Amino acid sequence: MKSKTIIYFILTVAVIYLIGHTISSDRSEPNTEFIPEMVHSIAYDAFASNPNTIDGKTLQTPPTGTIPIGFMPEYPDGELTIENAGTVLKNPFKMDNADLARGAYVYATFCQTCHGLNGDGDGPVTKRGVPPPPSIKTDKVRKLKDGDIYYLISNGVGNMPPYKTQIKRNDRWLVTHFIKTLK
Ligand code: HEC
């Protein structure tokens, strides 16, 4: 019992001592920092100059041909055009096992604002000054290959913006199937 009291006493004194010595009474001075390495990184900051690299910069351009994890290119750079997309690109989903509910969800999220819920080209933005797109329930669209539609969703066409950075690949393929079901 007694030794416990002594330990508590010593601890209390130690804490008071530490507080007294780390919190400076002079407000114009910064306080003492404990373990400053945990606050200030000793690594080079991304935009700091760096004596260890050839160009003196910390942030280095990745070597040509570098592929971010999970982003295997779908086709070699520059080899895909609007003319050959339909034959080069293949829909990984067969229509009979496609997740049409997911396609419908993607359509409702990204496309119906312009194309309208049923694809008639009467989406809400067309009531607010945006020129209406053509119907996508035409023979012209039905005859397009999946790769053609995928290409135009990815890269845009005319007044339609590209969606390759907003919509994931699988979702782009699924919405391709979905718009063909619009009657
Ligand atoms: C900002 C409005 C807008 C959005 C959003 C939009 N589109 Fe379009 N879309 C257009 C316009 C405008 C055209 C006509 C482009 C042209 O030919 O000048 C078009 C054309 C198309 C065509 C070709 C029609 C044809 O007859 O050639 C398809 C297919 C299509 N869009 C599908 C989609 C799909 C799928 C989405 C969602 C992923 C989508 N669009 C999102 C505006 C939009």
Side-chain angles (χ1 to χ4, degrees):
M1 205 54 191
K2 227 176 172 193
S3 63
K4 245 189 184 169
T5 320
I6 292 171
I7 289 172
Y8 285 148
F9 178 73
I10 293 173
L11 278 177
T12 315
V13 171
V15 167
I16 292 171
Y17 176 84
L18 279 176
I19 292 174
H21 279 258
T22 50
I23 300 177
S24 150
S25 52
D26 180 357
R27 295 290 161 120
S28 66
E29 286 286 306
N31 293 322
T32 308
E33 284 172 355
F34 276 127
I35 328 179
E37 290 83 354
M38 291 192 53
V39 180
H40 306 285
S41 170
I42 51 172
Y44 290 100
D45 287 330
F47 293 101
S49 60
N50 191 319
N52 304 307
T53 56
I54 293 168
D55 61 1
K57 296 174 183 168
T58 297
L59 211 57
Q60 296 287 296
T61 316
T64 25
T66 305
I67 297 164
I69 292 172
F71 284 89
M72 274 304 280
E74 292 172 285
Y75 40 81
D77 257 357
E79 281 186 20
L80 191 76
T81 61
I82 187 134
E83 285 80 29
N84 70 10
T87 36
V88 173
L89 296 175
K90 295 277 173 266
N91 197 332
F93 300 95
K94 297 270 165 288
M95 189 61 158
D96 44 356
N97 63 9
D99 184 354
L100 289 178
R102 177 71 193 174
Y105 176 79
V106 174
Y107 184 84
T109 309
F110 292 99
C111 319
Q112 62 93 15
T113 42
C114 293
H115 286 282
L117 260 187
N118 291 311
D120 297 313
D122 59 353
V125 300
T126 64
K127 315 242 162 18
R128 297 182 168 243
V130 175
S135 163
I136 49 173
K137 296 193 294 193
T138 57
D139 279 343
K140 182 188 166 204
V141 172
R142 248 170 254 134
K143 279 190 193 127
L144 287 175
K145 296 206 177 76
D146 287 355
D148 293 321
I149 299 178
Y150 183 87
Y151 186 91
L152 77 83
I153 296 172
S154 306
N155 300 293
V157 53
N159 275 342
M160 175 172 157
Y163 280 93
K164 67 173 155 222
T165 52
Q166 284 102 314
I167 308 179
K168 289 193 183 131
R169 289 175 191 175
N170 282 356
D171 282 347
R172 271 179 268 156
W173 285 120
L174 289 172
V175 78
T176 298
H177 277 320
F178 173 76
I179 61 172
K180 290 196 163 169
T181 67
L182 288 171
K183 294 266 152 53

